[in-house]
Every structure is written in C-alpha cells, then in structure tokens.
Amino acid sequence: MERDKNFILGVFDDEDVLLDAVTRIRKSGVKIHEVYSPFPVHGLDEVLGYKRSRLPIAAFLFGLLGTTLALTMQFYMMKIDWPMIIGGKDHAAFPAFIPVTFELTVLLAAFGMVGVFMVSSNLKPWGQARIFDNRITDDKHVMAIDLATNAGLGEERLAEVLKDSGATEVNKKSFE
Amino acid sequence: MQVTSSVREPLITGGKTLKDVTHDISRQVEGKPSMLWLLALLVSVGALGLGFIALAATLWEGIGMWGLNKTIGWAWDITNFVWWVGIGHAGTLISAVLLLFRQKWRMAINRAAEAMTIFAVICAAMFPIIHMGRPWLGAYWALPLPNTFGSLWVNFNSPLLWDVFAISTYFSVSLVFWYIALIPDFATIRDRATGLRKTIYSALAFGWDGAAKTWSRFETVSLILAGLATPLVLSVHTIVSFDFATSVIPGWHTTIFPPYFVAGAIFSGFAMVLTLMIVTRKVFKLEDYITIGHIELMNIVIIITGSIVGIAYITEFFIAWYSGVAAEQYAFVNRAFGPYWWAYWSMMTCNVISPQLFWIKKIRTSIVLTFILSLIVNIGMWFERFVIIVTSLHRDFLPSSWAMFYPTWADVGVYLFTFGLFFTLFFLFAKFFPVINMFEIKSIIKSSSTKESK
C-alpha cells in the first residue's frame, strides 16, 4: 500500500479527551500521521512528540540582519557617501540612528519570521489544503492515521484503538 | 488543560458551543447585507466622495488651499495625523500587550481593534503625504532612494524621517499580525462555503489545514509578533512625539512628551474601539461575545490612561512654572487663558474630567453612557493635539508675526475624506471578514463560557 494516501480518521469532540487519546495511541505503538484541530490545543504538540519550533531563531537572525543593514545604510549615507554637518554634530550621529535601526530590526524580524513560517507550513495565497474533514475548521478534532505506515495493524484494530480512546466517530479517507 | 478560577466572570455568555461560535460569526459573512449596513456604507462612501473634492482641490491647487499661514505652518493636517495614529494604538495594545499579559478578554475584540489600527494608520499616513504638496515625488523625499542629486540622501537625524520608518513598519507589521490570525478563520468560512465564496475564501485561507504542527508554529509566531509589536507600538507614538519634542518651540520642547503621547494614544484608541464595538455588537448581535464585562474592562483602561494624561497636563504646567523660563511660562498661560482658551478647556473637560466618571460602576457598565463618553474622549483627544500644535505656534518669537489659524473648507474636507475612508474600510471589513477571532474564542469556550443556556 502506498504511503500518505489512505487514512483512518478518529473524530474527537473534546480537547482533553483528545490529549489523553494521543498519549494512549502513541503508547500502543500506532504512528499518528497528524492531528487537525479547529483551534490551538495547548500541549498537543508535546504529546505528539513535536520538537519546539525554531522560528524564534529565524526571527532573531532576521532581526540581527535588520540591525546591521540599518546601521550600515545610515553610516554609509551620512558619513561616507555625502557627509553633511547637521546641527554641528558628527556626520555619524549614532544616537540619531537608533530609531530607524530599531524600526528596521522589528520589520525584518517580523517579515522574516512570518516568511519562514509560511514556507515551512506550506501556506501561500491560493494554496490548496488537503482537507480530511470539513468540520476540522468548525468544531471537531480529527486524528489521521496512515494505513500504510501502520500496515502491521489491521484497519479494524486501528478503528478499535481509536474508539477505545474516546473517538466519537471513525471514518476512512483516501486521497488521489 | 487550562485551569480558570471559578470566581472569574465568564467571558462568553449564552452557553455557546463550538458550533455556535462558528455559526454566530460566519453568519455575518455569509448572509445578505442588512439595510442598516448598506445605509451605513452609503453614508461613509458619501463622506469619502465629498471629502475627495477637497482632497483633489488640495492636490490640484497646492496646500495653499488650507488655512495655514507663515506663522502656523502645521495645524489641522498634523493634528489629524497624530489623532489617527493615536487611535490606531489601541488595536496593537489589545492584540499584543494583552496577549503577553494573557488577558483572555482581548479575544473577542482583538480582530476588530486591529482592523481599526490598520485603517486608522492609513488615514493618518494620508496627511503627511498630502502635505508634501507633490506626493508623487514623495518617495524621493521620504525614502533613502538613489536620486539625480548625486545621491543626496534623506536626513537620518530628522524625527520626521524616523516617523516615516516608524509608521510604515507599524503599518506593515500590524497588517501581517492581523492577517496571520485571519487565516484559520478564513479556512472556517472556506469549509462552509460553496461556489464563488469558496473560491475567494480558499485564496484568502492560504491552504490552511489546522494541523497540530502548524498550530504549534502559529502559536510561536503569534507570541513573537506580540513581543515585537509591543515595543513597536510604544516606539511609534514616541517618535511621533519627537516631531515636536526635538524642536525648540516653547510648549513642544519637553521631555515628558513620549510617555504622555503614548498614554494619550491608548486613551483615544480605546475610546474609538468602544465606539466601534458598541455599534458592531448591536448590529451583528454579538452581545454574548462582547459582554458588559468587556466594556467595563475597556472603560477601566480609559480611566487609567485618562488619568495619566491628566497628570501629564498638570506636570507640564508645573514644570513650565518651575523652569523659570519666561517663554515657556507664557506658552502655557497663553494656552489656558489666551485666544485659544476654549480649545484648552474643551480638552481639559473631555480628557481629564469626563473619564473620571467611569469610577462609578453604574456609568462604566452602561452602554449608552459609555458610547457617549467614548465620543467625548475622541473629541477631547483631537483638541489635545490641536492645542499642543496650534497654540504653541500661533505666538511666534516676534509679536509682529503673531497670528490665528482659521481652517478652510479644504481643511475640513480632507478630514472628512479620512473619516469616509476609515468607515468605508471598517464597514467592508465588518461584512466580509469574521469580526471576532473564532478560533481564539473556541480555545477558551471550555474554560470561560457559561454552561447554561439563557
């Protein structure tokens, strides 16, 4: 059987039941493809065993880039390219450069981080989502289990595990 | 699992379920627009059109159309600019600062408040751009672009240039913050819709699927954007105040300006949020999400920031006297008792006295009185900027140059244009975008909603 095509879905109504179910199902040796929720469920990433996101590092690096670019730009323009005496101060009046430096740091950190987030989460204008269940964005949490990765366990066994851990519905979903 | 104290007031009333939240908020987007909405939009577009005549005349003839003279070179334009930017500040305060403080009541109002921020900043940015006279050349004056003068760069020592960077960063970061949070809600509408609406909201939803991995990253991004937006919002009005504080005009040249302006900005912004939300909750029947409790909390923020502003006014006066500088003392006495006394005392009444009424619980939990007071605060904050700007300028260093400012129809018209623009954008937002952040409300429904149905 091909991977990433045929799934068995457990539908959950309650986030606390879902959290317990994820822990139990993972313990029983089943590999969970992904859990889809209508809102962020706190602790879900931990029980699924996801590592902490490295996006803060991306934000920091982009911020650093912003700081460097802003200071270099202002120093070059005000001191090297066309030095002018303004208010009797040094051409490179660093205290006066701080506001613009701060703004460009924030700008690049924010845009850089969001850009990385969009790329890593595959979000783009006109992007098409693979929708497991229309109610994911409404009121249901859906746990997707790939039948191919869990080929050792039968479909009935997986359905049983899902039902036992509190799923209110068990469905099947196949993608082309 | 989240634990919420049982003595806390519920944030959502009416025993709503997750499905109810989706339904109540998507309903506005999916339904036919109401007559009331169409009427409101018509009035806004009308104001936009009327104001456009003044805008076009100003661009065609030049800023000589305004009531400025050689003594008072800044008046309504910059007053309106600072007023609009200030209004914008509440949106970021609600969505970023209250997120860092984990204030869950923000969730019902942050979407609309941020929309207000974005639209208010657009309106604010109009004024300096129009005041350039030839805005089509403005990019060369405002941005460090290579030009035919060799290149002669913009002056990075000028607070006006800092403002360009501050306002444009503020606008773009707010826009991104707002849009990121809209994506999951657009996906909700996408998954309920068919036909053309599905196509449009699919494009807007960016392919959101609600995966736990994406939510985890999403939470990180929101937290960091909030962390970035918090100093950003403080920096924006600080830099706006530098436009005045770094000059040598008595009445402007004071170190108290940055915190005083930031407090005033939040004060006026919350007033505008209240004005808009009281109307929105009524028209869209969102009383279960934006409760009296929410209104009361916003009124408490108004008392605090209003009191800070009041103390700042008194401090300015005290320091002017204490400094022993005659020009400084004259500037302040002239504000209160000179030809613009009426503007000064309007400001004092609207900003210092009227918010103190919110100490009375009956008043701060009354929707009608809150609405009236929110309008009064907005009027007061407009007068504050007018007083600071015009009264400080109108007594020039030479008595032979003393003058008064009289607005022309073009001054009024351009201001009307920004009102038209603001409300047109806000009404379009309220109809076509989910006005309340659905997924955030859903995340607290278990802990902060009343269980029983009414």
Side-chain angles (χ1 to χ4, degrees), chain B residues 386-426:
Chain B
F386 180 79
V387 165
I388 293 173
I389 292 157
V390 173
T391 67
S392 305
L393 287 174
H394 84 127
R395 289 291 175 256
D396 207 345
F397 294 104
L398 287 175
S400 58
S401 309
W402 288 8
M404 293 292 284
F405 173 79
Y406 301 102
T408 62
W409 69 272
D411 278 301
V412 182
V414 175
Y415 191 33
L416 183 71
F417 176 81
T418 55
F419 266 101
L421 183 65
F422 179 79
F423 283 104
T424 303
L425 290 170
F426 191 82

Side-chain angles (χ1 to χ4, degrees), chain A residues 13-17 19 34-42 44-45 48 50-51 53 55-57 59 73-74 76-78 81-82 84 86 89-91 93 95-97 99-100 102-107 109-111 113-114 117-118 120-141, chain B residues 1-2 18-20 22-23 144-145 149-157 161-162 165-170 172-173 176 180 183-184 187-192 198-199 202-222 224-225 228-229 231-232 235-236 239 242 438-440 442-444 446:
Chain A
D13 288 350
D14 186 287
E15 61 260 39
D16 295 320
V17 175
L19 285 175
E34 181 58 293
V35 178
Y36 299 89
S37 299
F39 55 84
V41 178
H42 288 283
L44 186 57
D45 42 354
L48 279 167
Y50 292 155
K51 286 203 197 81
S53 166
L55 282 163
I57 304 172
M73 173 183 77
Q74 293 177 86
Y76 167 76
M77 288 175 182
M78 301 297 283
D81 194 45
W82 190 310
M84 264 200 298
I86 294 159
K89 295 179 195 76
D90 186 359
H91 307 305
F97 296 171
V100 171
F102 170 77
E103 300 300 335
L104 287 180
T105 304
V106 169
L107 185 73
F111 272 74
M113 174 182 61
V114 169
F117 166 62
M118 306 262 272
S120 61
S121 301
N122 198 23
L123 293 171
K124 52 180 181 285
W126 287 276
Q128 290 304 316
R130 198 164 69 161
I131 295 164
F132 284 85
D133 191 314
N134 262 342
R135 296 167 299 172
I136 289 169
T137 52
D138 184 5
D139 62 342
K140 300 284 189 234
H141 305 271
Chain B
M1 209 184 93
Q2 298 171 46
L18 297 176
K19 221 171 174 58
D20 292 336
T22 313
H23 178 73
L145 297 178
F149 299 104
S151 295
L152 176 62
W153 301 108
V154 288
N155 178 10
F156 284 103
N157 295 321
L161 186 73
W162 304 344
F165 281 85
I167 302 283
S168 41
T169 302
Y170 183 47
S172 33
V173 172
V176 165
I180 287 285
I183 291 175
T188 301
I189 295 169
R190 171 197 70 195
D191 292 345
R192 287 162 59 91
K198 191 166 189 101
T199 316
S202 288
L204 292 172
F206 279 28
W208 179 266
D209 60 359
K213 183 90 210 171
T214 314
W215 274 125
S216 159
R217 289 187 184 126
F218 179 94
E219 292 267 273
T220 311
V221 167
S222 301
I224 294 189
L225 278 180
L228 288 169
L232 179 64
S235 85
V236 171
I239 292 175
F242 285 168
M438 290 190 265
F439 75 82
E440 282 199 318
K442 286 175 189 171
S443 73
I444 56 165
K446 215 175 158 186

Side-chain angles (χ1 to χ4, degrees), chain A residues 21-68:
Chain A
V22 171
T23 320
R24 276 220 284 176
I25 290 173
R26 288 191 74 215
K27 262 203 194 115
S28 69
V30 177
K31 288 208 169 57
I32 297 173
H33 172 71
E34 181 58 293
V35 178
Y36 299 89
S37 299
F39 55 84
V41 178
H42 288 283
L44 186 57
D45 42 354
E46 280 155 45
V47 292
L48 279 167
Y50 292 155
K51 286 203 197 81
R52 253 180 82 178
S53 166
R54 283 166 300 171
L55 282 163
I57 304 172
F60 178 77
L61 292 177
F62 275 105
L64 206 61
L65 179 70
T67 314
T68 320

